[in-house]
Amino acid sequence: MRGRLATDFERFGRELPRDFAGYVRQTYRIDLTARYLGYDLPHPFGKGSGQLSLNTDQLETDRAAGLAFVVLKTLIAETAAGERTMGAWAIHETRMAVERRLSLDGRDGWTVTWKGRGWDRSLSEYLGLVRAGRDLTCAGPDGMLVVPSVKYHLPRLGEPFIEAEYAHTTAQLADAWGDAQLPIEKDFSPTLAGDPLADERDQVLRWIGEVPGRIRRAAPHGARVQLKLMNARFDDAFQIEMLVAARGADGVTAFNRLFDSERRVAYGGWDLSDRNLRVLDLAGERGVAPAGLSATGNICSGRALLDYARRGCESGQLHTFFQLPLSEYPATAGSRTARALHALVFHPTDGLIVGMLELEEQGVLARHNGELRFLDLAASHFTEAQKATTEAQRHGEEHS
Ligand SMILES: Cc1cc2nc3c(=O)[nH]c(=O)nc-3n(C[C@H](O)[C@H](O)[C@H](O)COP(=O)(O)O)c2cc1C
């Protein structure tokens, strides 16, 4: 297997087959099937919302490379009169800097420094992108799942939600999507985490609890709602409280970037994945097992994704790894997306295939009908988390 992997790594570095997941299944007997928001995916690698999902050219490049899914840039919701309470997030900024970032414990990673925020063009332009995304989603094996992302009004405690933003924006998106249930990701961003609006814990928990129902009610054919939770400026225990509050959502993306309050910018790198993995560990220990977990944060190798999968994540959303200088990818041809996928899946020491083969050797993964299955990792984590809940409940009963 390892000899074969070395050969595949070498030749796919010149051209990655679009259906590499089919090839992996046939050749290595590894089923990479993954899941996002209830959709089956050929493999777990997708693109997180941001500057790399702004137009149809980017979508077409990703589809051609064989990416599993894309979350579109976050739209800022508006009323029928065009009013936006979160208008401060719709600012225009083009310059991004891909930089090295040293983590607190001294590891060298990558981050993208950028002062912009949400979608800065019109709602009607966004709807055009959503229609193109829906066509790709419906195109079967030649297509790719594409999901819109939105930031809606978030009130202070005691104040009502501005329904007109939820109603108008969701109805417009649903209309662009057509007759099926609307898939949608709701972004709680790092700049929101850094905003005085997010200073109140109860206020944040109320948003997370109430937003999924509000979006669903505003969508004529219903909606599947993924909440992309932020790294709040509170402790790890609060991250767990947010996961618990999100139980009404169809899925949770964990967790958006950290906020550097001195430089007033969001950042990633190893500090981000360390925190996310630590919180997901804690969630498992406490028996909190959110449905539809999707990972985000410093996924720069197949191994990094496996770290998230072993904590319950069924897919991963990357941004930074699709932006590195070309010299950082081992492939010598193809789009950045194709070069990134090549390294993520086929790298002989850090890729997904070698990582799964190692987990088999360690007895963590077992074959079913001769196949290793990516989704078994998340499923077994949930069983462990449920065992932890039962154990905690039993412990509680014994002491009461
Ligand atoms: C330049 C940039 C813009 C982003 N914009 C958004 C956004 O509009 N909405 C959102 O939900 N996440 C946004 N993100 C977060 C990414 O989708 C992703 O979750 C995060 O960067 C962590 O993944 P990474 O470590 O692979 O970059 C952005 C990230 C970057 C770097």
Side-chain angles (χ1 to χ4, degrees):
M1 285 289 185
R2 283 169 204 245
R4 168 53 74 86
L5 190 55
T7 314
D8 284 343
F9 179 65
E10 170 74 27
R11 68 190 177 114
F12 293 155
R14 295 188 291 276
E15 189 177 0
L16 182 71
R18 189 179 176 273
D19 181 23
F20 61 83
Y23 175 83
V24 168
R25 189 162 189 176
Q26 208 175 28
T27 311
Y28 297 89
R29 310 290 319 272
I30 295 180
D31 177 0
L32 294 180
T33 302
R35 210 175 292 127
Y36 172 74
L37 207 44
Y39 290 88
D40 280 342
L41 307 170
H43 62 81
F45 295 107
K47 184 175 269 185
S49 170
Q51 300 321 96
L52 310 176
S53 49
L54 293 167
N55 57 54
T56 48
D57 286 349
Q58 288 170 328
L59 290 181
E60 177 46 34
T61 304
D62 290 342
R63 187 208 64 80
L67 195 65
F69 67 109
V70 170
V71 184
L72 296 177
K73 177 69 189 170
T74 301
L75 170 74
I76 307 304
E78 61 185 58
T79 66
E83 286 156 1
R84 295 187 289 207
T85 51
M86 307 301 273
W89 270 267
I91 57 172
H92 179 72
E93 171 66 59
T94 49
R95 216 186 82 81
M96 284 188 277
V98 180
E99 297 173 331
R100 290 281 187 182
R101 180 162 183 125
L102 216 55
S103 63
L104 290 172
D105 65 5
R107 275 171 300 163
D108 209 3
W110 291 98
T111 191
V112 180
T113 305
W114 181 64
K115 300 254 179 179
R117 293 181 168 193
W119 177 260
D120 58 9
R121 286 176 271 150
S122 70
L123 173 59
S124 70
E125 281 173 276
Y126 195 81
L127 296 176
L129 196 56
V130 172
R131 277 186 213 100
R134 177 215 44 205
D135 291 348
L136 286 174
T137 302
C138 298
D142 288 335
M144 172 182 73
L145 172 65
V146 179
V147 173
S149 160
V150 185
K151 193 182 239 99
Y152 295 90
H153 172 244
L154 296 170
R156 297 190 177 281
L157 266 182
E159 287 176 4
F161 281 82
I162 295 182
E163 291 292 344
E165 270 192 18
Y166 283 80
H168 180 67
T169 303
T170 312
Q172 294 285 311
L173 291 170
D175 183 57
W177 192 262
D179 292 339
Q181 255 189 350
L182 173 72
I184 189 166
E185 196 171 89
K186 164 73 186 82
D187 172 31
F188 292 94
S189 62
T191 43
L192 175 66
D195 192 275
L197 200 56
D199 281 350
E200 280 252 19
R201 294 172 190 236
D202 288 347
Q203 192 156 291
V204 173
L205 296 176
R206 176 190 173 209
W207 299 336
I208 293 171
E210 290 194 27
V211 158
R214 284 178 192 281
I215 298 175
R216 283 194 203 108
R217 282 195 293 279
H221 307 291
R224 298 188 206 177
V225 182
Q226 181 88 8
L227 294 184
K228 183 170 186 179
L229 297 181
M230 58 193 178
N231 266 299
R233 283 175 302 154
F234 305 118
D235 56 8
D236 293 356
F238 185 72
Q239 294 298 121
I240 306 293
E241 284 189 58
M242 290 201 295
L243 287 175
V244 173
R247 60 187 172 268
D250 298 290
V252 168
T253 302
F255 296 98
N256 211 331
R257 301 203 294 168
L258 298 163
F259 189 69
D260 182 333
S261 39
E262 261 168 45
R263 291 179 69 199
R264 309 293 305 163
V265 289
Y267 69 97
W270 291 102
D271 288 338
L272 174 60
S273 48
D274 284 352
R275 181 172 209 217
N276 288 353
L277 295 171
R278 192 174 71 226
V279 168
L280 292 174
D281 275 340
L282 188 61
E285 282 162 29
R286 297 201 178 167
V288 176
L293 259 184
S294 184
T296 195
N298 197 36
I299 301 171
C300 291
S301 68
R303 269 187 202 285
L305 181 78
L306 288 171
D307 287 340
Y308 279 104
R310 295 186 67 181
R311 289 161 177 86
C313 296
E314 300 176 329
S315 62
Q317 306 183 17
L318 294 64
H319 199 292
T320 301
F321 194 61
F322 292 126
Q323 290 187 277
L324 301 188
L326 279 185
S327 56
E328 292 295 318
Y329 303 105
T332 50
S335 63
R336 266 198 174 69
T337 313
R339 291 180 198 220
L341 286 170
H342 163 254
L344 292 165
V345 177
F346 291 97
H347 195 284
T349 53
D350 280 337
L352 189 62
I353 296 175
V354 75
M356 286 183 67
L357 292 173
E358 276 180 25
L359 290 176
E360 181 188 18
E361 281 159 19
Q362 293 160 14
V364 175
L365 266 180
R367 289 187 184 263
H368 296 267
N369 297 327
E371 284 189 336
L372 292 178
R373 302 186 301 215
F374 171 77
L375 280 176
D376 280 353
L377 287 170
S380 66
H381 170 80
F382 284 129
T383 323
E384 291 303 316
Q386 278 146 9
K387 272 194 233 151
T389 322
T390 319
E391 186 61 25
Q393 280 165 350
R394 202 173 54 78
H395 194 71
E397 278 161 19
E398 275 170 12
H399 285 77
S400 63

